[in-house]
Amino acid sequence: MGSGPSGASMKIVSAVITLLLMVVFLGYMMIWSVTPTNTFYLNWFPDVEKKTSSTYLGEQGSTILIYAFPILFIATIASLYLHLEKKYDHDINTRLFSRMILSKRLAITKGPLGIVTWTELTFLAMFVALLVWSLYSYMHDMFAFAAVEAAQEKFQVWEVKLETAGLSLGLVGNTCLAFLFFPVARGSSVLQYVGLTSEASIKYHIWLGHITMAIFTAHGLFYVTYWSLTHQILQILKWDKFMVSNVAGEIALLAGLVMWATSFGRIRRKIFELFYYSHHLYVVFVIFYVFHVGFAGSCLILPGFYLFLIDRYLRLLQSQQKIRSVAARILPSETVELNFSKSSGLSYAPTSIAFINVPSISRIQWHPFTVTSNSNMDSDKLSVVIKCDGSWSHKLYQILSSPSPTNRLEVSIEGPYGPPSANFMRYEKLVLVSGGSGVTPFISIIREIIFKSNTTGSKTPAIHLICAFKKYANLTMLELLLPVSGTTLDLSRLQLQIEAYITQETEPKTVNQSSIRTILFKPNPSDAPVSAVLGPNSWLWLSVIISSSFIIFLLLTGLLTRFYIFPIDHNTNMKYPMPASSAFGMLFVCVAITIAASAAFLWNKRENAKELNQIRTTDMSTPAPSPASLLYETELESLPHQSLRQATTVQLGRRPNLKKILSELKEENVGVYVSGPRTMRQEVAAVCSSFSADNLHFESISFSW
């Protein structure tokens, strides 16, 4: 426990911050619920514009205040709280909002939405209700003026209503777009504060993406139909300097349609690279969306994209550093464990994910892998496990498993990203169900519990690991449950039971232990240990970046508006071209983020240089091992590995009867974690949802090879 505020004080701080952020968030959502009404547009918003209109921020001043500031305030305060939580070792589960979000009571186990909890289903229903209400309110209020507009423009009333419906759909699409980028910010303080990870939140991005593109596609079709029926088809080519630009909207829609078409499950799974690279069209989509609605109009969706840009730029800075590779363990099941040097200040929770790039294979491909090491047990090392399941991983395995393996592996790493804490420690028993490569996140969980059982007097949960493999040789993956440095660990303190099922073989096969080996890499003086991009005080620095970059953005916008745009336009919005002001707005956002994030990164890089020099000095003073490849056979005879084998039972030619195993659980507090193919996750979820016992808590864990 770190020094500082007591547990009672932290609970008070947590309660105050939670109350403050919930009030701000509820106010923000209330704004979205009243935005479609005439009360807001004809009364409240004009009043706010009068009070906030100035020669410095112009038209976008009111939209920045109403739509952007609340979320950026939440992100800043959440970052500060996460810093305090980490510094004083406060338990995340004491947060009311976190406990509500982390509720795992299942509502749906199969279907297009995947595995959905009641909490997620409730929020989804509330969001859909907001969209339906917004569409109804926009159309109802604007239809009231349809007859007047039809008489003025000499169109049919239904034709005017058709255009109004298209406009209403576009405005509702803005609501979806405002939330679209939140789930894909990997280092988001907002997600971390409510106890979510970017991996677990991807499904929310998928839901929002489908809804957004369906609405925007309908928006575009309604307008094309309206222009065609009213003989205004040339409106498709319109790029207005002061009003909405149709061409920009069409380009944005086309970019969105390409991303949408390649994001469906079958294409994403079978042709992942097509999906991955086409998704970079989000840059085109956002740029031309801003040109379409103007920068002032785009401030409605600014906060989500602003936080995403900060996260994306920080990831770019981290990914430029070459990481010091220490060793690789080669298993006969075509599996590799890579070990990297790690900064002692870098800590992460079990089941975290790191993105790996090996330039010798591909300079542009980044692949996510589950981190199997434990930041407590392995204070100076980070490990990931990679199984051959694609061309990239096969090339890596061939490089490392050749008779003359390389003595240096050049690697860049982004991350790690993961849950805010190891919340599985609160259970009496853990049932870990994995299929094939899904065992990897459980390696980090078991290592964490091994560490807790050997270093603390607190009670650790009993573990029942149920793993299914296709081949007998895959059993060697269980050896990864123990790290290379783990030969002195006492597994007798750990209540561990492992049931391994071999589904495609009925006879045991001898595994040549001499083929399990460790390759030691030669360090390069320019390589650095894996470290947090903003150092050990990352959350504090993130709050500084969010707040300072926003201030810089406001200063740049204010100076441009006051001394250049206002003398020309005088806030009429009819003399200074909207595309130019939109371009300046986007430029200032990028410049502000670049200045603030680069300054924070360089400051922390200078601070981390001392630790890097110490590691280099250690490398120079420590003689390199004489053999380039060390057999792993002697390690297999150590006491921990003997205990591991004694705790393991193997069933051949069978699949686990999950319903029977889970129905026999009698403990008061059981956590069921599943990681594996979608069918297995759905099966376990269905079994858990069929039990009415309150003691059974289900969670599906994302894993990556």
Side-chain angles (χ1 to χ4, degrees), residues 410-458:
E410 186 176 295
V411 173
S412 295
I413 291 182
E414 182 190 307
Y417 308 102
S421 69
N423 55 15
F424 50 80
M425 294 298 294
R426 68 180 184 268
Y427 298 114
E428 294 290 329
K429 182 172 184 177
L430 291 176
V431 178
L432 312 177
V433 184
S434 69
S437 54
V439 75
T440 48
F442 298 151
I443 294 174
S444 60
I445 291 177
I446 293 176
R447 287 189 183 183
E448 172 73 9
I449 298 177
I450 290 174
F451 172 80
K452 295 287 187 182
S453 65
N454 278 262
T455 58
T456 66
S458 59

Side-chain angles (χ1 to χ4, degrees), residues 262-293:
T262 58
S263 66
F264 287 92
R266 291 185 178 180
I267 296 177
R268 188 176 70 249
R269 287 189 289 268
K270 292 184 178 180
I271 319 176
F272 179 78
E273 290 190 356
L274 175 63
F275 156 76
Y276 177 76
Y277 292 118
S278 63
H279 239 60
H280 285 79
L281 287 172
Y282 76 86
V283 177
V284 176
F285 176 86
V286 171
I287 289 175
F288 283 94
Y289 168 83
V290 176
F291 281 133
H292 178 56
V293 302

Side-chain angles (χ1 to χ4, degrees), residues 329 482-485 487 631-638 641:
R329 279 204 280 180
L482 298 177
V484 174
S485 59
T487 55
L631 293 182
Y632 190 51
E633 187 173 7
T634 56
E635 194 175 274
L636 290 172
E637 300 305 321
S638 65
H641 287 83

Side-chain angles (χ1 to χ4, degrees), residues 430-442 445 463-468 499 501 656-659 661-662 665 671-677 680-681 683-685 688 698-701 703:
L430 291 176
V431 178
L432 312 177
V433 184
S434 69
S437 54
V439 75
T440 48
F442 298 151
I445 291 177
I463 303 173
H464 186 183
L465 174 61
I466 304 167
C467 46
E499 290 185 41
Y501 293 83
N657 188 339
L658 298 175
K659 186 172 184 179
I661 294 172
L662 295 177
L665 295 174
V672 179
Y673 289 74
V674 59
S675 174
M680 172 175 278
R681 287 185 276 120
E683 180 184 357
V684 176
C688 290
F698 170 85
E699 183 165 350
S700 177
I701 297 182
F703 72 96

Side-chain angles (χ1 to χ4, degrees), residues 199 227 380 405 411 424 437 565 636 654:
E199 288 291 318
W227 291 331
D380 60 349
V411 173
F424 50 80
S437 54
I565 296 179
L636 290 172
R654 292 179 54 191

Side-chain angles (χ1 to χ4, degrees), residues 548-565:
S548 62
S549 63
F550 189 57
I551 292 172
I552 293 172
F553 162 71
L554 293 178
L555 288 174
L556 292 174
T557 302
L559 290 173
L560 178 75
T561 305
R562 176 65 183 86
F563 297 106
Y564 180 60
I565 296 179

Side-chain angles (χ1 to χ4, degrees), residues 66-220:
I66 295 173
Y67 295 98
F69 178 76
I71 292 298
L72 297 182
F73 175 79
I74 289 175
T76 302
I77 299 301
S79 299
L80 290 173
Y81 179 82
L82 290 168
H83 171 72
L84 294 175
E85 181 180 68
K86 181 179 179 182
K87 183 176 181 180
Y88 300 117
D89 197 22
H90 185 53
D91 185 8
I92 186 176
N93 295 303
T94 60
R95 280 190 256 125
L96 174 63
F97 197 57
S98 162
R99 292 202 305 270
M100 181 178 67
I101 294 295
L102 291 174
S103 174
K104 299 298 179 182
R105 191 173 292 275
L106 297 174
I108 301 173
T109 58
K110 292 183 180 180
L113 295 180
I115 300 172
V116 183
T117 66
W118 280 109
T119 301
E120 292 170 333
L121 190 62
T122 300
F123 276 99
L124 178 61
M126 292 170 61
F127 186 75
V128 172
L130 173 63
L131 298 182
V132 172
W133 153 251
S134 298
L135 182 60
Y136 166 79
S137 184
Y138 279 128
M139 294 178 66
H140 177 270
D141 291 343
M142 287 191 282
F143 277 4
F145 302 96
V148 176
E149 292 183 25
Q152 292 176 345
E153 299 178 8
K154 298 181 180 180
F155 292 149
Q156 297 292 326
V157 173
W158 69 268
E159 292 175 334
V160 173
K161 288 185 176 181
L162 181 66
E163 181 193 21
T164 300
L167 175 60
S168 300
L169 286 167
L171 295 174
V172 173
N174 290 338
T175 307
C176 295
L177 196 56
F179 295 91
L180 182 63
F181 288 94
F182 284 106
V184 288
R186 295 172 186 164
S188 168
S189 59
V190 176
L191 293 180
Q192 287 280 309
Y193 180 76
V194 297
L196 294 172
T197 66
S198 59
E199 288 291 318
S201 303
I202 286 296
K203 64 180 176 182
Y204 309 141
H205 175 73
I206 295 173
W207 297 350
L208 287 167
H210 286 310
I211 297 173
T212 301
M213 287 312 305
I215 292 175
F216 278 149
T217 301
H219 164 69

